[in-house]
Amino acid sequence: MMENHANNTGSGSPDGRTGSSTEDSKTNLIVNYLPQTMTQDEIKSLFSSIGEVESCKLIRDKVTGQSLGYGFVNYVKPQDAEKAINTLNGLRLQAKTIKVSYARPSSQAIKDANLYVSGLPKTMTQADLEGLFEAHGRIITSRILFDPVTGQSRGVGFVRFDQRVEAERAITELNGHIPKGATDPITVKFANNPSQNHAKALQQAAYLAPARRYLGPMLHQTARFRYSPMGADPMGVGNIPNGGTGFCIFVYNLAPDTEDSVLWQLFGPFGAVTNVKVIRDFQTNKCKGFGFVTMAHYDEAVVAIAQLNGYCLGGRVLQVSFKTNKAHKN
């Protein structure tokens, strides 16, 4: 599948080319963290205020047509591209802070340079995180995950470097390191790559389950039921978001009045959500108690499952896991 990242590494171009010339890299920009509702015309209008734009492309899910949260802008003149970075990088749009940087030609050197960092002090800011890692290489993107209800840090973050060798250096130097003012060491490792031992990773992620502490007869009964929608559609589920265009998450024990917007709000803080679907009864139009969320990035989906499985929503304890394939249903 195409590597769809809201915090994309920046390889590619608006017209689908993988830029190779130095001149092209000086005019071609990648724009990350775009608001979900922002259109391609709005992006072009914004960047055209800096200079003449040759081409602009908002990257969308091939099935749903929804924005994946990033796009490319290619200027006619290199100086306009440089000005756009200096002017628009860090601009606040709606609830997002966009990141504008040069798009880079695709190469092995820049792949798999995304790090997962845990054990961060709850008081650490994104600027602090970058300050901790910047000595080890050029940082492309970074983020700290926050609780959508309390607004407090979850102590987990991601740092993407320009090149893998820089990420490796950061792991060597910072894994087990105790940040200034902290008492516990942090863990630094490569973020999960879905192309590497994907089946095993999915299996492990399904058991990152805070809800496992709710063991009992009722849980075992619902656990058997929760996978039944993955079968031959005996409950009228209809079209489920295709895992081939993202990573599909199954959410069980939703209230009858649950709307799609609830799932957008619940999963949005963890990363790029490309599609949600609350499954409804054909006659009453009420939620049947479950739904699906498709996220663009595997590492963000893993964290969302780990944090939301067992989460109490409207007095109900949610069960959240990766959607299982028919071939692997229980």
Side-chain angles (χ1 to χ4, degrees):
M1 61 173 285
M2 183 178 74
E3 189 179 358
N4 294 332
H5 291 280
N7 55 341
N8 198 280
T9 57
S11 59
S13 64
D15 54 11
R17 294 174 289 116
T18 53
S20 56
S21 69
T22 303
E23 190 67 19
D24 179 68
S25 65
K26 290 183 178 180
T27 60
N28 188 23
L29 304 179
I30 182 168
V31 188
N32 284 307
Y33 308 124
L34 290 167
Q36 189 77 31
T37 57
M38 194 169 191
T39 67
Q40 184 168 293
D41 287 342
E42 289 172 338
I43 298 169
K44 186 173 183 179
S45 177
L46 174 64
F47 281 82
S48 293
S49 67
I50 303 296
E52 185 181 354
V53 173
E54 181 181 275
S55 56
C56 173
K57 184 174 181 61
L58 173 64
I59 306 303
R60 297 181 177 276
D61 184 277
K62 291 182 179 179
V63 176
T64 68
Q66 295 190 12
S67 168
L68 292 181
Y70 75 98
F72 295 94
V73 175
N74 195 26
Y75 280 98
V76 174
K77 298 177 181 179
Q79 55 266 39
D80 288 335
E82 182 180 8
K83 185 179 178 182
I85 293 175
N86 295 332
T87 305
L88 300 177
N89 183 41
L91 178 68
R92 189 78 173 172
L93 294 176
Q94 298 177 29
K96 299 279 190 176
T97 299
I98 67 171
K99 182 176 180 66
V100 184
S101 58
Y102 288 114
R104 298 165 297 149
S106 180
S107 72
Q108 288 297 123
I110 67 174
K111 291 183 178 179
D112 303 329
N114 192 27
L115 298 181
Y116 172 82
V117 189
S118 61
L120 295 172
K122 297 300 178 68
T123 56
M124 178 172 280
T125 65
Q126 184 174 343
D128 295 333
L129 180 64
E130 292 203 1
L132 182 62
F133 281 81
E134 63 185 0
H136 305 289
R138 177 171 174 252
I139 295 173
I140 301 300
T141 58
S142 68
R143 65 183 303 218
I144 292 176
L145 300 184
F146 293 90
D147 187 287
V149 177
T150 66
Q152 293 184 339
S153 168
R154 295 184 182 274
V156 173
F158 295 92
V159 177
R160 186 184 294 277
F161 279 97
D162 182 54
Q163 297 191 26
R164 182 180 173 88
V165 65
E166 297 169 333
E168 291 173 342
R169 186 162 57 236
I171 291 176
T172 300
E173 297 295 329
L174 294 176
N175 185 40
H177 170 76
I178 301 178
K180 185 178 180 180
T183 57
D184 298 316
I186 61 174
T187 298
V188 183
K189 60 183 181 180
F190 283 109
N192 288 317
N193 185 337
S195 66
Q196 298 173 351
N197 203 7
H198 180 57
K200 181 179 178 181
L202 288 178
Q203 184 181 33
Q204 291 174 343
Y207 285 92
L208 292 173
R212 286 172 67 83
R213 63 181 176 272
Y214 297 100
L215 294 176
M218 289 303 294
L219 175 65
H220 294 305
Q221 290 174 15
T222 55
R224 285 198 300 270
F225 166 77
R226 66 190 287 185
Y227 293 104
S228 62
M230 312 314 165
D233 200 19
M235 303 178 64
V237 173
N239 293 324
I240 297 171
N242 187 345
T245 58
F247 299 93
C248 190
I249 298 169
F250 177 54
V251 187
Y252 174 70
N253 206 24
L254 296 171
D257 59 351
T258 302
E259 299 291 337
D260 287 356
S261 60
V262 172
L263 295 184
W264 281 108
Q265 294 168 9
L266 195 62
F267 284 82
F270 295 97
V273 176
T274 62
N275 191 42
V276 301
K277 184 174 183 180
V278 170
I279 306 304
R280 302 184 179 280
D281 184 278
F282 290 134
Q283 295 182 336
T284 66
N285 202 36
K286 295 287 188 179
C287 173
K288 283 189 171 185
F290 60 95
F292 299 91
V293 176
T294 303
M295 299 188 72
H297 316 315
Y298 174 77
D299 48 10
E300 294 173 342
V302 168
V303 174
I305 289 172
Q307 297 296 336
L308 294 177
N309 189 35
Y311 179 80
C312 188
L313 179 67
R316 293 168 173 257
V317 177
L318 299 183
Q319 295 181 26
V320 184
S321 64
F322 276 110
K323 168 183 172 289
T324 58
N325 294 326
K326 293 180 181 179
H328 297 94
K329 68 176 181 176
N330 291 341

